[in-house]
Amino acid sequence: MPKQTYFHLSKEKQETLIAAAKKEFSRVPLHEASVANIIKSAGIPRGSFYQYFEDKEDLFYYLLNQLAEKSNRRFISVLMDKNGDLFETFIATFQFMLEVHRDQEHKNFFKNVYLNMNYKHEKTLANDVYEETQKTQYFTTIKLIDTSKLNIQDEQELHHVLKILMGVTFQNLVQLFVKEYSDEEALKNYLVQIDLLKRGLQKN
């Protein structure tokens, strides 16, 4: 998390620093990123950078967390629009991800994230709604889901369903970059897998 001095900055200066960070983390993965490039782009001294963040990892995970929180809020909004239909919400969310990845910088940023995925990356991306069960957003999501459409027995199984759907979504996003699918190919593959999950994998 940023140091308190970062939050004392004006909104404009915060956004300038975050934009500079996203630019650098879009250019190369975290382990290759340069603080020098970030501060040059943001127009701040090196000393100031370390007054705001511990290091480049601190800034990277703050940025990733901010994007994850924004995604989670949008997920809840879509879930409300879809009247609690979990599968339709995941499909709409995946389609939105394909749309935003048309922005080259955004696409490059997430390409570097997904192709260098580790536990901390995944946990940050799955922030609040899917993993941190004590968080407000998780309980908000649970309450909004129309469980009458799901073949589950209790909330614990619902939690596992969320994790399964999130896993399938992550994997399809990774494949989008690894195999360089078109949006149409990526969506087609995703819909096939979602349909298989909806129908069930074992015959009675």
Side-chain angles (χ1 to χ4, degrees):
M1 287 295 291
K3 298 177 182 179
Q4 201 57 43
T5 48
Y6 170 79
F7 296 107
H8 292 157
L9 291 172
S10 67
K11 196 72 175 176
E12 182 181 357
K13 288 183 178 180
Q14 287 183 23
E15 290 175 354
T16 298
L17 180 51
I18 292 303
K22 190 175 181 183
K23 178 181 177 182
E24 177 65 5
F25 295 132
S26 299
R27 187 183 69 84
V28 291
L30 170 60
H31 65 278
E32 295 179 24
S34 163
V35 171
N37 287 340
I38 295 172
I39 62 176
K40 181 180 179 180
S41 181
I44 62 172
R46 179 175 287 270
S48 295
F49 176 86
Y50 290 105
Q51 288 180 346
Y52 307 142
F53 294 92
E54 288 291 337
D55 47 35
K56 66 180 182 182
E57 285 81 6
D58 191 22
L59 174 54
F60 174 80
Y61 285 111
Y62 174 69
L63 171 58
L64 196 59
N65 185 69
Q66 291 297 103
L67 292 170
E69 286 187 358
K70 184 178 180 181
S71 177
N72 290 342
R73 289 193 296 270
R74 189 182 186 284
F75 183 89
I76 290 173
S77 177
V78 174
L79 187 59
M80 293 174 67
D81 290 342
K82 298 294 182 180
N83 297 314
D85 189 316
L86 190 59
F87 283 99
E88 288 302 314
T89 299
F90 266 96
I91 291 170
T93 299
F94 187 77
Q95 289 174 314
F96 177 76
M97 289 176 178
L98 292 179
E99 289 175 13
V100 297
H101 285 161
R102 289 172 189 161
D103 176 89
Q104 197 58 49
E105 183 177 273
H106 198 80
K107 182 175 183 178
N108 289 342
F109 175 80
F110 277 101
K111 181 177 182 179
N112 287 332
V113 170
Y114 292 133
L115 297 188
N116 295 275
M117 187 68 74
N118 58 32
Y119 175 74
K120 191 171 182 180
H121 281 45
E122 186 169 347
K123 189 170 179 60
T124 304
L125 281 171
N127 172 44
D128 293 350
V129 173
Y130 310 108
E131 294 293 340
E132 302 297 331
T133 58
Q134 301 304 310
K135 299 289 188 177
T136 303
Q137 283 186 324
Y138 175 80
F139 290 113
T140 300
T141 304
I142 290 296
K143 290 177 182 177
L144 289 171
I145 295 171
D146 181 0
T147 55
S148 69
K149 296 183 177 181
L150 300 173
N151 185 22
I152 57 171
Q153 296 181 348
D154 52 35
E155 188 175 307
Q156 184 177 9
E157 288 191 354
L158 177 57
H159 179 68
H160 288 300
V161 168
L162 281 168
K163 291 177 72 174
I164 290 167
L165 288 169
M166 196 65 202
V168 169
T169 303
F170 271 170
Q171 183 58 30
N172 275 269
L173 288 170
V174 170
Q175 290 300 306
L176 172 66
F177 295 120
V178 171
K179 298 188 177 180
E180 298 184 345
Y181 287 137
S182 66
D183 288 359
E184 292 74 18
E185 290 173 315
L187 182 58
K188 180 180 178 181
N189 290 335
Y190 185 70
L191 291 177
V192 167
Q193 292 175 32
I194 291 295
D195 188 55
L196 284 168
L197 290 174
K198 287 172 73 173
R199 287 190 283 121
L201 300 175
Q202 181 172 300
K203 289 184 177 181
N204 294 326

